[in-house]
């Protein structure tokens, strides 16, 4: 049935335990050697073999295109292909599920063999155009079959959510969500202005609420936060296009503004780590703007987060991927 052992009783060769024989048990499973010693009938139980499921949920919202197409979205597609191959090599049934405002069934890809990763699947993912908002509720509605059969779900998203100004004004400081933060994460949040801290905490609360379906006992999840070069460094964002006039406007930032933005980015990651921890999810980051060995260390951290959630396979060498 599959390459991995399950906790259920099954037909593998891996011994689990003995159980007193009851009428209706398969007589072929009676342990006759034990009967010869004890003169009592026992049924020999073995573990079940199954094929675990790996779901790669790819965010296709408009924010995934910020910082340039090549910078973030396309690098996230390459990451998805890497994780799909590693899942295949580890004996998983892999499904790639693009989502944005909704989950379109025609876009869902069941990965059957590695050849798909170099051909049709790469072309289908590259043909996606980021647009619209991120709707985790749509992803949760598509998770009903995961709850029955179980799955390891890796959500690949930039987690850039804005908070409505009305909610910002209505939320009193004492009403801010209490997330399980480490001392370091709390220090990062305390290092930004109070208004920014409130916005970041409320945004993290939205993420935790939207991903609550991943806390189901049969689902294990990893929250992978993707960021591009312009998401991390204001000096990379040199120009914008005015949407009304179409005029290209050049931007200039002071050194103090860039440092403040860096602190906010760090605080944002700290709040999201707390949100993932509140749901017992693994958390990892992916720097889509990294050069050199194409994010090898980031991929290894993602695999470590998957392993913390019970990833059963042996990860392939990143160089081979």
């Amino acid at each position: 049935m599959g390459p991995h052992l399950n906790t259920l009783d099954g037909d593998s060769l891996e011994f689990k335990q003995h159980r007193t024989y009851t009428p209706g048990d398969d007589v072929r499973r009676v342990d006759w050697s034990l009967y010869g010693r004890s003169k009592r009938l026992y049924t020999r139980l073995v573990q079940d073999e199954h094929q675990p499921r790996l779901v790669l949920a790819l965010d296709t919202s408009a924010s995934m295109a910020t910082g340039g197409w090549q910078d973030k979205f396309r690098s996230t597609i390459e990451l998805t292909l890497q994780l799909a191959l590693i899942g295949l090599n580890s004996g998983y049934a892999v499904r790639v599920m693009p989502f944005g405002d909704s989950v379109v069934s025609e876009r869902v890809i069941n990965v059957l063999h590695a050849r798909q990763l170099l051909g049709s699947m790469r072309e289908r993912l590259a043909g996606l155009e980021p647009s619209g908002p991120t709707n985790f509720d749509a992803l949760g509605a598509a998770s009903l079959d995961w709850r029955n059969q179980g799955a390891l779900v890796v959500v690949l998203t930039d987690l850039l959510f804005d908070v409505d100004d009305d909610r910002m004004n209505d939320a009193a400081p004492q009403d801010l969500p209490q997330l399980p933060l480490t001392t370091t994460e709390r220090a990062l949040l305390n290092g930004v202005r109070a208004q920014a801290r409130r916005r970041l905490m409320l945004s993290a609360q939205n993420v935790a609420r939207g991903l609550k379906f991943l806390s189901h006992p049969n689902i294990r999840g990893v929250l992978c936060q993707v960021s591009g070069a312009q998401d991390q460094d204001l000096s990379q964002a040199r120009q914008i296009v005015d949407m009304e006039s179409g005029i290209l406007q050049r931007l200039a930032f002071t050194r103090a503004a860039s440092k403040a933005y860096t602190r906010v980015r760090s605080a944002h990651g700290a709040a999201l780590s707390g949100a993932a921890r509140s749901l017992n999810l693994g958390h990892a980051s992916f720097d889509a703007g990294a050069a050199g060995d194409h994010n090898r260390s980031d991929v290894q951290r993602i695999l470590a987060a998957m392993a913390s959630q019970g990833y059963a396979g042996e990860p392939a060498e990143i160089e081979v991927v």
Side-chain angles (χ1 to χ4, degrees), residues 3-78:
H4 298 288
L5 294 176
N6 199 350
T7 57
L8 303 176
D9 299 335
D11 300 312
S12 73
L13 299 178
E14 189 73 20
F15 173 75
K16 184 177 180 182
Q17 63 182 0
H18 284 104
R19 185 187 68 196
T20 303
Y21 175 82
T22 56
D25 286 351
D26 190 346
V27 294
R28 292 173 297 181
R29 293 190 177 180
V30 173
D31 194 327
W32 295 109
S33 61
L34 185 59
Y35 172 76
R37 296 193 302 270
S38 64
K39 303 305 179 184
R40 297 181 62 182
L41 289 175
Y42 289 94
T43 300
R44 192 173 187 275
L45 300 180
V46 294
Q47 288 184 294
D48 185 30
E49 292 177 336
H50 75 300
Q51 185 175 28
R53 308 174 77 189
L54 173 63
V55 179
L56 302 174
L58 173 63
D59 185 3
T60 61
S61 64
S63 62
M64 290 293 289
T66 59
W69 181 275
Q70 297 287 343
D71 176 46
K72 186 160 63 174
F73 188 65
R74 190 171 294 277
S75 293
T76 308
I77 289 177
E78 295 300 321

Side-chain angles (χ1 to χ4, degrees), residues 55 57 99 136 139-143 146-147 151-157 159 207-224 275-276 278-282 309:
V55 179
F99 75 98
F136 284 141
L139 189 61
S143 69
W146 312 341
R147 302 179 190 183
L152 173 60
V153 184
V154 180
V155 184
L156 305 163
T157 173
L159 295 170
V207 171
R209 186 183 296 113
L211 292 175
K212 192 173 182 179
F213 69 92
L214 289 178
S215 61
H216 190 276
N218 286 348
I219 301 177
R220 295 155 295 152
V222 173
L223 188 59
C224 180
S278 69
L279 299 174
N280 293 321
L281 303 179
Q309 294 295 304

Side-chain angles (χ1 to χ4, degrees), residues 70-93:
Q70 297 287 343
D71 176 46
K72 186 160 63 174
F73 188 65
R74 190 171 294 277
S75 293
T76 308
I77 289 177
E78 295 300 321
L79 171 63
T80 303
L81 296 173
Q82 281 188 325
L83 296 178
L85 179 57
I86 292 173
L88 283 178
N89 290 343
S90 300
Y92 276 68

Side-chain angles (χ1 to χ4, degrees), residues 135-193:
N135 184 6
F136 284 141
D137 292 335
L139 189 61
S143 69
L144 295 178
D145 60 332
W146 312 341
R147 302 179 190 183
N148 296 329
Q149 302 180 22
L152 173 60
V153 184
V154 180
V155 184
L156 305 163
T157 173
D158 55 11
L159 295 170
L160 294 180
F161 289 92
D162 198 8
V163 178
D164 185 81
D165 289 337
D166 292 336
R167 187 172 176 221
M168 274 285 296
N169 297 330
D170 293 340
Q174 61 270 20
D175 295 333
L176 288 177
Q178 297 298 317
L179 298 175
L181 301 172
T182 65
T183 303
T184 301
E185 292 165 353
R186 197 172 298 279
L188 291 173
L189 281 162
N190 290 334
V192 300
R193 294 182 178 182

